[in-house]
Amino acid sequence: MNQNTTEPVATAETLAEVPEHVLRGLPEEVRLFPSAVDKARIGVWATKPILKGKKFGPFVGDKKKRSQVKNNVYMWEVYYPNLGWMCIDATDPEKGNWLRYVNWACSGEEQNLFPLEINRAIYYKTLKVRVLELVSVTLHAFLQIPSLAVTDSNNFADFERIIFESGSSTH
C-alpha cells in the first residue's frame, strides 16, 4: 500500500456502502467501523484479541499496470516475472475484500501487522496481541491506540463499552 494518493477520497465512506460480500468475508475477530485514523474512511477493528502470527489475506483487487491506477490508497504493488510490476487495486469496493479497509497509523511504535508477499499475493500477519483499529503505514500496519491494548478481561470489557456504546454500527 502507498500513503501517497494520486486522487483524494472525494466523500466519506459509510458502512451502508460496504458491499455485502465484504461483510460476509470478515473473520470473526474483526468488524468494520468508522476509522479513528481518517474520519473519511471505514476502518478494520478487532473485536477480541488476535494472536501473534495470525495471517489474513490475500488482499483482493483488480490487477492493473501502475499507469491505470487512479488512487493508490487502496492498492499494493506486486512483481510478476513475466509482467513486471503490477498493482492489486481495490479502489472499487466491489472488487476488493475487507483488507481494503486497513488504514494508516501515526507511528512505528503502534505496529501490529506486517504485510507479506506470498506467491504474488499480499497477506497481513499479526506481530502483537492487541485489540483496536488495524491500520498500516507504507509497508507496516499499526494499531491506532496501543494504550487500550487488552491485557485482561476488564480491559476488553472497557474496549467493548467504548466502541459499542459510542453508537457505532455492529458490522
Side-chain angles (χ1 to χ4, degrees):
M1 264 184 177
N2 191 329
Q3 279 184 294
N4 301 320
T5 62
T6 55
E7 183 179 292
V9 176
T11 59
E13 295 176 327
T14 66
L15 290 169
E17 297 167 336
V18 175
E20 188 60 35
H21 77 274
V22 171
L23 298 173
R24 283 192 312 268
L26 285 167
E28 69 175 88
E29 59 268 81
V30 300
R31 293 291 176 263
L32 299 180
F33 293 105
S35 175
V37 175
D38 183 340
K39 302 298 182 200
R41 294 184 57 194
I42 299 298
V44 177
W45 292 79
T47 56
K48 60 185 177 181
I50 299 172
L51 296 178
K52 180 180 178 179
K54 174 131 181 160
K55 187 170 64 174
F56 296 106
F59 181 88
V60 175
D62 284 334
K63 188 166 44 171
K64 298 179 177 180
K65 285 287 190 189
R66 185 74 172 97
S67 61
Q68 297 172 304
V69 175
K70 294 181 178 159
N71 184 332
N72 61 7
V73 170
Y74 305 102
M75 56 76 82
W76 281 99
E77 289 184 278
V78 176
Y79 185 77
Y80 291 82
N82 58 337
L83 299 172
W85 287 99
M86 297 291 290
C87 297
I88 308 302
D89 181 14
T91 300
D92 178 352
E94 293 292 336
K95 307 288 178 153
N97 61 3
W98 68 274
L99 292 171
R100 172 198 192 275
Y101 297 96
V102 172
N103 289 313
W104 313 111
C106 303
S107 76
E109 295 172 7
E110 299 172 348
Q111 184 174 356
N112 191 48
L113 297 175
F114 186 80
L116 305 166
E117 182 181 333
I118 302 171
N119 295 324
R120 287 170 261 312
I122 300 297
Y123 294 82
Y124 288 104
K125 186 174 181 178
T126 59
L127 298 175
K128 299 175 186 175
V129 178
R130 295 230 177 126
V131 174
L132 289 180
E133 186 174 7
L134 304 174
V135 291
S136 101
V137 173
T138 311
L139 294 179
H140 297 87
F142 300 93
L143 199 63
Q144 176 60 19
I145 309 170
S147 62
L148 292 179
V150 170
T151 56
D152 58 41
S153 60
N154 290 338
N155 284 347
F156 187 64
D158 290 344
F159 164 76
E160 285 184 308
R161 190 175 60 257
I162 291 165
I163 298 302
F164 297 110
E165 290 179 5
S166 68
S168 296
S169 171
T170 57
H171 283 288

